[in-house]
Amino acid sequence: MAEVEVTEYHIKQLIEILKAEYKIHQKIYELGERKREALLEQDMTKLNEIVKKEEEVVDYIEVLEGKRSDLVGDLSITELIKESEPPYDERLEEIGEKLSLLMAKLIDLNQLNNKLIQDGIKMTNFSLSILTDDQKSTYGKKGSFNNDRKRSSILNHKA
């Protein structure tokens, strides 16, 4: 992308966009907390609703990011702070710090939720192996493969 000339107008608009992004990321954080609760409660209906809302919010973030990119190109907040004059440099620094802190919290929450999802998958697989009586094959007396145990299952595989 070509170099964008950053004017006071651009900085003012950028600050408004960053404020909107901050509010949207707060919403994502709230949804992430609700997702954690749904995972702990194993409420798949609630989880599905939350994921749909997250998708809508992410779509809006993409719109805001497009506007931000149109205004200042690929310049980072740090670069813009250096190019800005008071009071805009202070405002950019403040919103940048708030966004950074919120993003760190979001990363931690997402890691926790991913761990809960992985634990849920392991538990589901374990339960399925118990329900299907998934026994490991063994070797017979002469070292040959022995898998002649009948598999019993609580599940009706013919259904």
Side-chain angles (χ1 to χ4, degrees):
M1 179 171 214
E3 189 74 22
V4 176
E5 181 184 349
V6 181
T7 64
E8 185 176 323
Y9 169 81
H10 289 99
I11 298 297
K12 286 179 181 179
Q13 292 298 310
L14 176 66
I15 290 170
E16 293 306 311
I17 290 169
L18 292 174
K19 286 179 182 178
E21 283 188 6
Y22 181 77
K23 288 178 184 175
I24 293 297
H25 281 89
Q26 283 179 313
K27 179 70 174 171
I28 288 178
Y29 187 81
E30 292 168 12
L31 289 170
E33 288 180 325
R34 289 179 46 207
K35 185 189 288 185
R36 182 189 67 225
E37 292 168 10
L39 288 167
L40 290 170
E41 295 167 1
Q42 298 178 354
D43 186 341
M44 295 301 113
T45 303
K46 186 176 175 182
L47 183 62
N48 198 24
E49 291 170 6
I50 293 167
V51 168
K52 287 179 183 176
K53 287 178 184 176
E54 281 180 328
E55 289 171 354
E56 292 170 9
V57 173
V58 167
D59 288 344
Y60 186 59
I61 287 174
E62 289 176 2
V63 169
L64 289 173
E65 274 298 299
K67 289 180 179 182
R68 185 202 58 75
S69 180
D70 289 345
L71 275 174
V72 295
D74 294 330
L75 294 174
S76 69
I77 292 177
T78 305
E79 293 168 322
L80 290 166
I81 291 169
K82 290 176 185 174
E83 290 187 24
S84 300
E85 295 181 14
Y88 305 113
D89 58 343
E90 294 166 3
R91 290 184 189 164
L92 282 171
E93 189 170 0
E94 178 185 336
I95 193 72
E97 286 175 12
K98 286 172 68 174
L99 273 167
S100 289
L101 291 172
L102 182 56
M103 295 305 270
K105 286 174 57 175
L106 265 169
I107 289 168
D108 290 344
L109 182 59
N110 282 337
Q111 288 174 343
L112 174 61
N113 285 347
N114 285 336
K115 173 92 170 92
L116 290 172
I117 290 168
Q118 293 304 315
D119 289 349
I121 290 170
K122 287 178 186 175
M123 190 60 163
T124 300
N125 287 339
F126 176 73
S127 297
L128 281 172
S129 70
I130 289 173
L131 289 172
T132 59
D133 194 30
D134 191 15
Q135 297 176 358
K136 304 285 184 212
S137 300
T138 60
Y139 288 95
K141 290 181 183 179
K142 296 182 180 179
S144 61
F145 189 66
N146 184 13
N147 191 17
D148 49 349
R149 283 189 252 180
K150 296 276 185 204
R151 290 186 132 195
S152 60
S153 176
I154 296 173
L155 299 176
N156 182 351
H157 292 284
K158 292 181 182 178

